[in-house]
Amino acid sequence: SSSPSRPGYVHTKAGWFNAFLNTIFSSPVTVGLIVAVLLDNTLEVEKSKKDRGMPWWVKFRTFRGDNRNEEFYTLPFNLNRFFPPT
């Protein structure tokens, strides 16, 4: 339990550390995001790749992975002749 003189859940000797962690963990949305990211990346990662859309993103990881990349990412006024993609 926290007292009025020391609000929050974290009580260490470092005041800045207490303020930092108490700020993060006082927001339910932030705690939910941290838990969701942790669970999404640790529970049955291999089985969930299709559910997460990972096979679809593979072809866009490199510039030459999909022919639509060149059309979408080219520079205007044919400047890609002078600044080729990597």
Side-chain angles (χ1 to χ4, degrees):
S1 71
S2 62
S3 65
S5 63
R6 295 182 67 187
Y9 301 109
V10 180
H11 303 290
T12 63
K13 292 182 181 181
W16 65 270
F17 187 69
N18 294 344
F20 178 75
L21 287 181
N22 286 328
T23 302
I24 290 174
F25 291 115
S26 66
S27 169
V29 174
T30 306
V31 173
L33 175 71
I34 292 169
V35 171
V37 168
L38 179 74
L39 292 177
D40 191 38
N41 289 302
T42 57
L43 296 178
E44 299 181 10
V45 174
E46 292 302 318
K47 292 181 181 177
S48 67
K49 282 187 178 184
K50 185 178 181 208
D51 295 336
R52 295 167 61 198
M54 300 306 273
W56 186 82
W57 282 105
V58 168
K59 58 187 169 190
F60 296 105
R61 287 190 183 182
T62 61
F63 183 78
R64 302 263 184 237
D66 190 357
N67 59 357
R68 293 176 289 180
N69 286 353
E70 190 166 356
E71 176 186 347
F72 186 77
Y73 290 110
T74 53
L75 297 171
F77 307 114
N78 216 6
L79 289 174
N80 55 326
R81 292 181 304 163
F82 305 108
F83 304 102
T86 57

